[in-house]
mmCIF file of all heavy atoms in Angstrom:
data_model
loop_
_atom_site.group_PDB
_atom_site.id
_atom_site.type_symbol
_atom_site.label_atom_id
_atom_site.label_comp_id
_atom_site.label_asym_id
_atom_site.label_seq_id
_atom_site.Cartn_x
_atom_site.Cartn_y
_atom_site.Cartn_z
ATOM 1 N N LYS A 1 20.020 -46.820 -7.539
ATOM 2 C CA LYS A 1 19.632 -45.419 -7.672
ATOM 3 C C LYS A 1 20.118 -44.877 -9.005
ATOM 4 O O LYS A 1 21.258 -45.110 -9.399
ATOM 5 C CB LYS A 1 20.213 -44.584 -6.526
ATOM 6 C CG LYS A 1 19.789 -43.117 -6.517
ATOM 7 C CD LYS A 1 20.350 -42.404 -5.292
ATOM 8 C CE LYS A 1 19.921 -40.955 -5.219
ATOM 9 N NZ LYS A 1 20.458 -40.273 -4.009
ATOM 10 N N ILE A 2 19.234 -44.154 -9.703
ATOM 11 C CA ILE A 2 19.576 -43.550 -10.984
ATOM 12 C C ILE A 2 19.201 -42.077 -10.950
ATOM 13 O O ILE A 2 18.075 -41.723 -10.594
ATOM 14 C CB ILE A 2 18.832 -44.241 -12.143
ATOM 15 C CG1 ILE A 2 19.272 -45.702 -12.265
ATOM 16 C CG2 ILE A 2 19.088 -43.511 -13.462
ATOM 17 C CD1 ILE A 2 18.533 -46.482 -13.339
ATOM 18 N N LYS A 3 20.144 -41.233 -11.332
ATOM 19 C CA LYS A 3 19.890 -39.798 -11.378
ATOM 20 C C LYS A 3 19.334 -39.410 -12.749
ATOM 21 O O LYS A 3 19.616 -40.048 -13.755
ATOM 22 C CB LYS A 3 21.171 -39.015 -11.098
ATOM 23 C CG LYS A 3 21.676 -39.157 -9.666
ATOM 24 C CD LYS A 3 22.898 -38.273 -9.427
ATOM 25 C CE LYS A 3 23.371 -38.363 -7.986
ATOM 26 N NZ LYS A 3 24.551 -37.487 -7.741
ATOM 27 N N HIS A 4 18.535 -38.355 -12.767
ATOM 28 C CA HIS A 4 18.056 -37.756 -14.008
ATOM 29 C C HIS A 4 17.997 -36.251 -13.797
ATOM 30 O O HIS A 4 18.294 -35.754 -12.697
ATOM 31 C CB HIS A 4 16.699 -38.333 -14.426
ATOM 32 C CG HIS A 4 15.626 -38.214 -13.386
ATOM 33 N ND1 HIS A 4 14.907 -37.068 -13.197
ATOM 34 C CD2 HIS A 4 15.153 -39.107 -12.475
ATOM 35 C CE1 HIS A 4 14.027 -37.244 -12.233
ATOM 36 N NE2 HIS A 4 14.155 -38.477 -11.760
ATOM 37 N N LYS A 5 17.604 -35.495 -14.801
ATOM 38 C CA LYS A 5 17.744 -34.037 -14.712
ATOM 39 C C LYS A 5 16.788 -33.396 -13.717
ATOM 40 O O LYS A 5 16.989 -32.252 -13.318
ATOM 41 C CB LYS A 5 17.596 -33.391 -16.085
ATOM 42 C CG LYS A 5 16.225 -33.529 -16.727
ATOM 43 C CD LYS A 5 16.256 -32.864 -18.099
ATOM 44 C CE LYS A 5 14.928 -32.957 -18.821
ATOM 45 N NZ LYS A 5 14.994 -32.335 -20.172
ATOM 46 N N PHE A 6 15.757 -34.115 -13.306
ATOM 47 C CA PHE A 6 14.825 -33.568 -12.327
ATOM 48 C C PHE A 6 15.046 -34.137 -10.923
ATOM 49 O O PHE A 6 14.315 -33.786 -10.000
ATOM 50 C CB PHE A 6 13.379 -33.848 -12.751
ATOM 51 C CG PHE A 6 12.989 -33.161 -14.026
ATOM 52 C CD1 PHE A 6 12.660 -33.908 -15.143
ATOM 53 C CD2 PHE A 6 12.968 -31.782 -14.109
ATOM 54 C CE1 PHE A 6 12.297 -33.280 -16.328
ATOM 55 C CE2 PHE A 6 12.615 -31.142 -15.290
ATOM 56 C CZ PHE A 6 12.283 -31.895 -16.413
ATOM 57 N N GLY A 7 16.028 -35.007 -10.762
ATOM 58 C CA GLY A 7 16.282 -35.602 -9.448
ATOM 59 C C GLY A 7 16.824 -37.006 -9.584
ATOM 60 O O GLY A 7 17.806 -37.237 -10.289
ATOM 61 N N SER A 8 16.170 -37.965 -8.945
ATOM 62 C CA SER A 8 16.651 -39.342 -8.998
ATOM 63 C C SER A 8 15.502 -40.311 -8.723
ATOM 64 O O SER A 8 14.439 -39.929 -8.225
ATOM 65 C CB SER A 8 17.772 -39.565 -7.983
ATOM 66 O OG SER A 8 17.286 -39.378 -6.655
ATOM 67 N N VAL A 9 15.757 -41.568 -9.040
ATOM 68 C CA VAL A 9 14.836 -42.667 -8.739
ATOM 69 C C VAL A 9 15.632 -43.720 -7.979
ATOM 70 O O VAL A 9 16.715 -44.111 -8.411
ATOM 71 C CB VAL A 9 14.250 -43.280 -10.028
ATOM 72 C CG1 VAL A 9 13.397 -44.492 -9.690
ATOM 73 C CG2 VAL A 9 13.432 -42.258 -10.789
ATOM 74 N N ALA A 10 15.119 -44.146 -6.841
ATOM 75 C CA ALA A 10 15.815 -45.136 -6.021
ATOM 76 C C ALA A 10 14.940 -46.365 -5.804
ATOM 77 O O ALA A 10 13.707 -46.269 -5.764
ATOM 78 C CB ALA A 10 16.223 -44.532 -4.673
ATOM 79 N N ARG A 11 15.573 -47.501 -5.685
ATOM 80 C CA ARG A 11 14.899 -48.761 -5.359
ATOM 81 C C ARG A 11 15.217 -49.071 -3.900
ATOM 82 O O ARG A 11 16.339 -49.396 -3.548
ATOM 83 C CB ARG A 11 15.394 -49.875 -6.279
ATOM 84 C CG ARG A 11 14.757 -51.252 -6.068
ATOM 85 C CD ARG A 11 15.266 -52.207 -7.144
ATOM 86 N NE ARG A 11 14.693 -53.539 -7.035
ATOM 87 C CZ ARG A 11 15.286 -54.565 -6.420
ATOM 88 N NH1 ARG A 11 16.477 -54.399 -5.847
ATOM 89 N NH2 ARG A 11 14.704 -55.752 -6.375
ATOM 90 N N ILE A 12 14.211 -48.948 -3.028
ATOM 91 C CA ILE A 12 14.405 -49.034 -1.588
ATOM 92 C C ILE A 12 13.795 -50.331 -1.051
ATOM 93 O O ILE A 12 12.657 -50.671 -1.378
ATOM 94 C CB ILE A 12 13.748 -47.836 -0.867
ATOM 95 C CG1 ILE A 12 14.212 -46.519 -1.488
ATOM 96 C CG2 ILE A 12 14.041 -47.884 0.625
ATOM 97 C CD1 ILE A 12 15.673 -46.227 -1.320
ATOM 98 N N GLN A 13 14.583 -51.028 -0.230
ATOM 99 C CA GLN A 13 14.051 -52.252 0.367
ATOM 100 C C GLN A 13 13.144 -51.925 1.542
ATOM 101 O O GLN A 13 13.460 -51.090 2.392
ATOM 102 C CB GLN A 13 15.190 -53.142 0.857
ATOM 103 C CG GLN A 13 14.702 -54.455 1.465
ATOM 104 C CD GLN A 13 15.832 -55.373 1.882
ATOM 105 O OE1 GLN A 13 16.744 -55.635 1.100
ATOM 106 N NE2 GLN A 13 15.790 -55.860 3.115
ATOM 107 N N LYS A 14 11.989 -52.576 1.588
ATOM 108 C CA LYS A 14 11.083 -52.434 2.713
ATOM 109 C C LYS A 14 11.608 -53.259 3.888
ATOM 110 O O LYS A 14 12.446 -54.147 3.706
ATOM 111 C CB LYS A 14 9.682 -52.923 2.328
ATOM 112 C CG LYS A 14 9.014 -52.115 1.235
ATOM 113 C CD LYS A 14 7.638 -52.677 0.912
ATOM 114 C CE LYS A 14 6.959 -51.902 -0.200
ATOM 115 N NZ LYS A 14 5.612 -52.450 -0.515
ATOM 116 N N PRO A 15 11.138 -52.984 5.106
ATOM 117 C CA PRO A 15 11.533 -53.819 6.246
ATOM 118 C C PRO A 15 11.211 -55.297 5.981
ATOM 119 O O PRO A 15 10.193 -55.619 5.362
ATOM 120 C CB PRO A 15 10.689 -53.271 7.400
ATOM 121 C CG PRO A 15 10.405 -51.851 7.015
ATOM 122 C CD PRO A 15 10.261 -51.861 5.516
ATOM 123 N N ILE A 16 12.098 -56.160 6.437
ATOM 124 C CA ILE A 16 11.896 -57.593 6.283
ATOM 125 C C ILE A 16 10.695 -58.036 7.125
ATOM 126 O O ILE A 16 10.572 -57.658 8.286
ATOM 127 C CB ILE A 16 13.143 -58.382 6.722
ATOM 128 C CG1 ILE A 16 14.322 -58.079 5.782
ATOM 129 C CG2 ILE A 16 12.869 -59.879 6.768
ATOM 130 C CD1 ILE A 16 14.146 -58.625 4.386
ATOM 131 N N VAL A 17 9.812 -58.817 6.521
ATOM 132 C CA VAL A 17 8.658 -59.364 7.229
ATOM 133 C C VAL A 17 8.950 -60.820 7.568
ATOM 134 O O VAL A 17 9.499 -61.564 6.739
ATOM 135 C CB VAL A 17 7.380 -59.262 6.367
ATOM 136 C CG1 VAL A 17 6.201 -59.929 7.069
ATOM 137 C CG2 VAL A 17 7.070 -57.801 6.068
ATOM 138 N N TYR A 18 8.592 -61.233 8.775
ATOM 139 C CA TYR A 18 8.888 -62.594 9.222
ATOM 140 C C TYR A 18 7.633 -63.463 9.190
ATOM 141 O O TYR A 18 6.521 -62.990 9.475
ATOM 142 C CB TYR A 18 9.459 -62.565 10.638
ATOM 143 C CG TYR A 18 10.730 -61.767 10.736
ATOM 144 C CD1 TYR A 18 10.739 -60.512 11.367
ATOM 145 C CD2 TYR A 18 11.914 -62.218 10.176
ATOM 146 C CE1 TYR A 18 11.892 -59.762 11.444
ATOM 147 C CE2 TYR A 18 13.079 -61.466 10.239
ATOM 148 C CZ TYR A 18 13.067 -60.238 10.873
ATOM 149 O OH TYR A 18 14.204 -59.487 10.942
ATOM 150 N N ASN A 19 7.835 -64.727 8.847
ATOM 151 C CA ASN A 19 6.752 -65.705 8.844
ATOM 152 C C ASN A 19 6.615 -66.273 10.251
ATOM 153 O O ASN A 19 7.286 -67.240 10.614
ATOM 154 C CB ASN A 19 7.038 -66.815 7.836
ATOM 155 C CG ASN A 19 5.870 -67.761 7.671
ATOM 156 O OD1 ASN A 19 4.953 -67.797 8.497
ATOM 157 N ND2 ASN A 19 5.888 -68.541 6.604
ATOM 158 N N CYS A 20 5.752 -65.656 11.036
ATOM 159 C CA CYS A 20 5.646 -66.027 12.450
ATOM 160 C C CYS A 20 5.079 -67.429 12.644
ATOM 161 O O CYS A 20 5.327 -68.063 13.675
ATOM 162 C CB CYS A 20 4.785 -65.002 13.196
ATOM 163 S SG CYS A 20 5.525 -63.353 13.252
ATOM 164 N N ARG A 21 4.332 -67.924 11.683
ATOM 165 C CA ARG A 21 3.746 -69.256 11.813
ATOM 166 C C ARG A 21 4.805 -70.346 11.901
ATOM 167 O O ARG A 21 4.554 -71.427 12.438
ATOM 168 C CB ARG A 21 2.819 -69.541 10.630
ATOM 169 C CG ARG A 21 1.514 -68.752 10.657
ATOM 170 C CD ARG A 21 0.703 -69.003 9.405
ATOM 171 N NE ARG A 21 -0.592 -68.317 9.443
ATOM 172 C CZ ARG A 21 -1.715 -68.886 9.848
ATOM 173 N NH1 ARG A 21 -1.709 -70.144 10.243
ATOM 174 N NH2 ARG A 21 -2.860 -68.205 9.847
ATOM 175 N N LYS A 22 6.007 -70.084 11.367
ATOM 176 C CA LYS A 22 7.073 -71.082 11.360
ATOM 177 C C LYS A 22 7.951 -71.032 12.604
ATOM 178 O O LYS A 22 8.870 -71.852 12.756
ATOM 179 C CB LYS A 22 7.935 -70.890 10.111
ATOM 180 C CG LYS A 22 7.210 -71.209 8.811
ATOM 181 C CD LYS A 22 8.158 -71.129 7.620
ATOM 182 C CE LYS A 22 7.457 -71.544 6.334
ATOM 183 N NZ LYS A 22 8.375 -71.484 5.157
ATOM 184 N N ILE A 23 7.695 -70.090 13.485
ATOM 185 C CA ILE A 23 8.557 -69.923 14.660
ATOM 186 C C ILE A 23 8.217 -70.973 15.714
ATOM 187 O O ILE A 23 7.096 -71.021 16.226
ATOM 188 C CB ILE A 23 8.415 -68.506 15.249
ATOM 189 C CG1 ILE A 23 8.860 -67.461 14.227
ATOM 190 C CG2 ILE A 23 9.230 -68.377 16.539
ATOM 191 C CD1 ILE A 23 8.661 -66.028 14.685
ATOM 192 N N THR A 24 9.207 -71.820 16.026
ATOM 193 C CA THR A 24 9.045 -72.848 17.058
ATOM 194 C C THR A 24 10.152 -72.777 18.109
ATOM 195 O O THR A 24 10.002 -73.327 19.202
ATOM 196 C CB THR A 24 9.044 -74.254 16.433
ATOM 197 O OG1 THR A 24 10.244 -74.438 15.663
ATOM 198 C CG2 THR A 24 7.836 -74.438 15.507
ATOM 199 N N ASP A 25 11.244 -72.086 17.774
ATOM 200 C CA ASP A 25 12.362 -71.945 18.710
ATOM 201 C C ASP A 25 11.906 -71.180 19.951
ATOM 202 O O ASP A 25 11.266 -70.125 19.850
ATOM 203 C CB ASP A 25 13.512 -71.206 18.016
ATOM 204 C CG ASP A 25 14.680 -70.941 18.950
ATOM 205 O OD1 ASP A 25 15.445 -71.877 19.213
ATOM 206 O OD2 ASP A 25 14.778 -69.786 19.424
ATOM 207 N N GLU A 26 12.236 -71.721 21.131
ATOM 208 C CA GLU A 26 11.759 -71.142 22.386
ATOM 209 C C GLU A 26 12.239 -69.709 22.583
ATOM 210 O O GLU A 26 11.467 -68.834 23.004
ATOM 211 C CB GLU A 26 12.193 -72.011 23.566
ATOM 212 C CG GLU A 26 11.646 -71.522 24.904
ATOM 213 C CD GLU A 26 12.008 -72.444 26.062
ATOM 214 O OE1 GLU A 26 12.557 -73.530 25.812
ATOM 215 O OE2 GLU A 26 11.748 -72.055 27.220
ATOM 216 N N GLN A 27 13.506 -69.455 22.288
ATOM 217 C CA GLN A 27 14.028 -68.095 22.447
ATOM 218 C C GLN A 27 13.325 -67.121 21.505
ATOM 219 O O GLN A 27 12.962 -66.007 21.897
ATOM 220 C CB GLN A 27 15.541 -68.062 22.189
ATOM 221 C CG GLN A 27 16.158 -66.684 22.417
ATOM 222 C CD GLN A 27 17.641 -66.642 22.066
ATOM 223 O OE1 GLN A 27 18.202 -67.622 21.564
ATOM 224 N NE2 GLN A 27 18.273 -65.512 22.326
ATOM 225 N N ALA A 28 13.098 -67.564 20.259
ATOM 226 C CA ALA A 28 12.415 -66.707 19.288
ATOM 227 C C ALA A 28 10.967 -66.450 19.717
ATOM 228 O O ALA A 28 10.452 -65.336 19.549
ATOM 229 C CB ALA A 28 12.457 -67.351 17.901
ATOM 230 N N ILE A 29 10.310 -67.461 20.301
ATOM 231 C CA ILE A 29 8.934 -67.275 20.766
ATOM 232 C C ILE A 29 8.884 -66.254 21.893
ATOM 233 O O ILE A 29 8.009 -65.384 21.940
ATOM 234 C CB ILE A 29 8.337 -68.625 21.230
ATOM 235 C CG1 ILE A 29 8.074 -69.514 20.016
ATOM 236 C CG2 ILE A 29 7.035 -68.394 21.998
ATOM 237 C CD1 ILE A 29 7.592 -70.902 20.372
ATOM 238 N N ASN A 30 9.846 -66.328 22.802
ATOM 239 C CA ASN A 30 9.894 -65.357 23.902
ATOM 240 C C ASN A 30 10.070 -63.932 23.372
ATOM 241 O O ASN A 30 9.455 -62.985 23.895
ATOM 242 C CB ASN A 30 11.032 -65.710 24.864
ATOM 243 C CG ASN A 30 10.724 -66.946 25.690
ATOM 244 O OD1 ASN A 30 9.558 -67.273 25.936
ATOM 245 N ND2 ASN A 30 11.756 -67.654 26.123
ATOM 246 N N LYS A 31 10.917 -63.779 22.362
ATOM 247 C CA LYS A 31 11.123 -62.454 21.776
ATOM 248 C C LYS A 31 9.909 -62.017 20.955
ATOM 249 O O LYS A 31 9.610 -60.822 20.867
ATOM 250 C CB LYS A 31 12.382 -62.442 20.905
ATOM 251 C CG LYS A 31 13.670 -62.641 21.702
ATOM 252 C CD LYS A 31 13.831 -61.582 22.792
ATOM 253 C CE LYS A 31 15.096 -61.762 23.606
ATOM 254 N NZ LYS A 31 15.228 -60.769 24.703
ATOM 255 N N LEU A 32 9.216 -62.990 20.370
ATOM 256 C CA LEU A 32 7.989 -62.674 19.645
ATOM 257 C C LEU A 32 6.937 -62.113 20.600
ATOM 258 O O LEU A 32 6.237 -61.159 20.275
ATOM 259 C CB LEU A 32 7.464 -63.933 18.956
ATOM 260 C CG LEU A 32 6.237 -63.772 18.056
ATOM 261 C CD1 LEU A 32 6.542 -62.839 16.888
ATOM 262 C CD2 LEU A 32 5.765 -65.134 17.544
ATOM 263 N N ILE A 33 6.846 -62.701 21.784
ATOM 264 C CA ILE A 33 5.928 -62.193 22.810
ATOM 265 C C ILE A 33 6.313 -60.774 23.219
ATOM 266 O O ILE A 33 5.457 -59.914 23.428
ATOM 267 C CB ILE A 33 5.927 -63.133 24.036
ATOM 268 C CG1 ILE A 33 5.294 -64.481 23.671
ATOM 269 C CG2 ILE A 33 5.192 -62.498 25.213
ATOM 270 C CD1 ILE A 33 5.400 -65.529 24.769
ATOM 271 N N GLU A 34 7.619 -60.536 23.298
ATOM 272 C CA GLU A 34 8.105 -59.235 23.762
ATOM 273 C C GLU A 34 7.967 -58.137 22.710
ATOM 274 O O GLU A 34 7.611 -56.994 23.035
ATOM 275 C CB GLU A 34 9.573 -59.358 24.171
ATOM 276 C CG GLU A 34 10.169 -58.085 24.744
ATOM 277 C CD GLU A 34 11.618 -58.259 25.204
ATOM 278 O OE1 GLU A 34 12.118 -59.409 25.202
ATOM 279 O OE2 GLU A 34 12.253 -57.242 25.551
ATOM 280 N N TYR A 35 8.220 -58.474 21.431
ATOM 281 C CA TYR A 35 8.284 -57.448 20.391
ATOM 282 C C TYR A 35 7.122 -57.469 19.391
ATOM 283 O O TYR A 35 6.884 -56.475 18.708
ATOM 284 C CB TYR A 35 9.596 -57.587 19.595
ATOM 285 C CG TYR A 35 10.818 -57.153 20.367
ATOM 286 C CD1 TYR A 35 11.546 -58.072 21.114
ATOM 287 C CD2 TYR A 35 11.244 -55.832 20.355
ATOM 288 C CE1 TYR A 35 12.675 -57.685 21.825
ATOM 289 C CE2 TYR A 35 12.371 -55.428 21.055
ATOM 290 C CZ TYR A 35 13.082 -56.364 21.794
ATOM 291 O OH TYR A 35 14.190 -55.975 22.501
ATOM 292 N N GLY A 36 6.426 -58.580 19.294
ATOM 293 C CA GLY A 36 5.396 -58.709 18.278
ATOM 294 C C GLY A 36 4.123 -57.943 18.616
ATOM 295 O O GLY A 36 3.855 -57.603 19.772
ATOM 296 N N LYS A 37 3.329 -57.685 17.586
ATOM 297 C CA LYS A 37 2.016 -57.057 17.756
ATOM 298 C C LYS A 37 1.016 -57.837 16.920
ATOM 299 O O LYS A 37 1.292 -58.176 15.758
ATOM 300 C CB LYS A 37 2.036 -55.595 17.311
ATOM 301 C CG LYS A 37 2.885 -54.692 18.196
ATOM 302 C CD LYS A 37 2.831 -53.254 17.707
ATOM 303 C CE LYS A 37 3.664 -52.348 18.596
ATOM 304 N NZ LYS A 37 3.642 -50.936 18.129
ATOM 305 N N PRO A 38 -0.150 -58.135 17.472
ATOM 306 C CA PRO A 38 -1.133 -58.891 16.694
ATOM 307 C C PRO A 38 -1.716 -58.053 15.565
ATOM 308 O O PRO A 38 -1.792 -56.828 15.654
ATOM 309 C CB PRO A 38 -2.203 -59.248 17.733
ATOM 310 C CG PRO A 38 -2.078 -58.202 18.791
ATOM 311 C CD PRO A 38 -0.628 -57.828 18.832
ATOM 312 N N ASP A 39 -2.099 -58.726 14.507
ATOM 313 C CA ASP A 39 -2.846 -58.097 13.424
ATOM 314 C C ASP A 39 -4.245 -57.817 13.968
ATOM 315 O O ASP A 39 -5.036 -58.740 14.186
ATOM 316 C CB ASP A 39 -2.896 -59.051 12.229
ATOM 317 C CG ASP A 39 -3.618 -58.463 11.032
ATOM 318 O OD1 ASP A 39 -4.658 -57.801 11.232
ATOM 319 O OD2 ASP A 39 -3.156 -58.671 9.899
ATOM 320 N N ILE A 40 -4.564 -56.538 14.218
ATOM 321 C CA ILE A 40 -5.814 -56.186 14.897
ATOM 322 C C ILE A 40 -7.037 -56.635 14.094
ATOM 323 O O ILE A 40 -8.036 -57.096 14.657
ATOM 324 C CB ILE A 40 -5.876 -54.672 15.177
ATOM 325 C CG1 ILE A 40 -4.685 -54.250 16.073
ATOM 326 C CG2 ILE A 40 -7.201 -54.311 15.845
ATOM 327 C CD1 ILE A 40 -4.643 -54.963 17.405
ATOM 328 N N GLY A 41 -6.967 -56.518 12.772
ATOM 329 C CA GLY A 41 -8.077 -56.952 11.951
ATOM 330 C C GLY A 41 -8.359 -58.434 12.114
ATOM 331 O O GLY A 41 -9.517 -58.853 12.296
ATOM 332 N N ARG A 42 -7.323 -59.244 12.088
ATOM 333 C CA ARG A 42 -7.501 -60.687 12.252
ATOM 334 C C ARG A 42 -7.893 -61.019 13.691
ATOM 335 O O ARG A 42 -8.655 -61.952 13.939
ATOM 336 C CB ARG A 42 -6.222 -61.420 11.862
ATOM 337 C CG ARG A 42 -5.830 -61.244 10.407
ATOM 338 C CD ARG A 42 -4.682 -62.152 10.007
ATOM 339 N NE ARG A 42 -5.098 -63.548 10.101
ATOM 340 C CZ ARG A 42 -4.295 -64.532 10.477
ATOM 341 N NH1 ARG A 42 -3.048 -64.261 10.839
ATOM 342 N NH2 ARG A 42 -4.717 -65.777 10.511
#
């Protein structure tokens, strides 16, 4: 974050995106079913 006379400029991290295609762990798959949402367009 850098301040200037009119305010400030910040560099903000976006939410982490996960590569679901690589998920093979059974526990992770169960949680993917519980929390994931399909890409409606695809």
Side-chain angles (χ1 to χ4, degrees):
K1 184 176 182 179
I2 296 177
K3 292 184 178 181
H4 56 82
K5 65 181 180 182
F6 296 116
S8 63
V9 175
R11 181 175 181 264
I12 308 295
Q13 181 177 310
K14 296 180 181 180
I16 294 291
V17 176
Y18 300 108
N19 187 344
C20 295
R21 288 175 177 265
K22 293 185 176 181
I23 298 176
T24 56
D25 176 77
E26 184 176 352
Q27 183 184 5
I29 289 175
N30 288 334
K31 294 303 180 182
L32 185 62
I33 292 173
E34 183 177 353
Y35 288 92
K37 293 181 179 179
D39 182 319
I40 300 301
R42 297 189 64 215

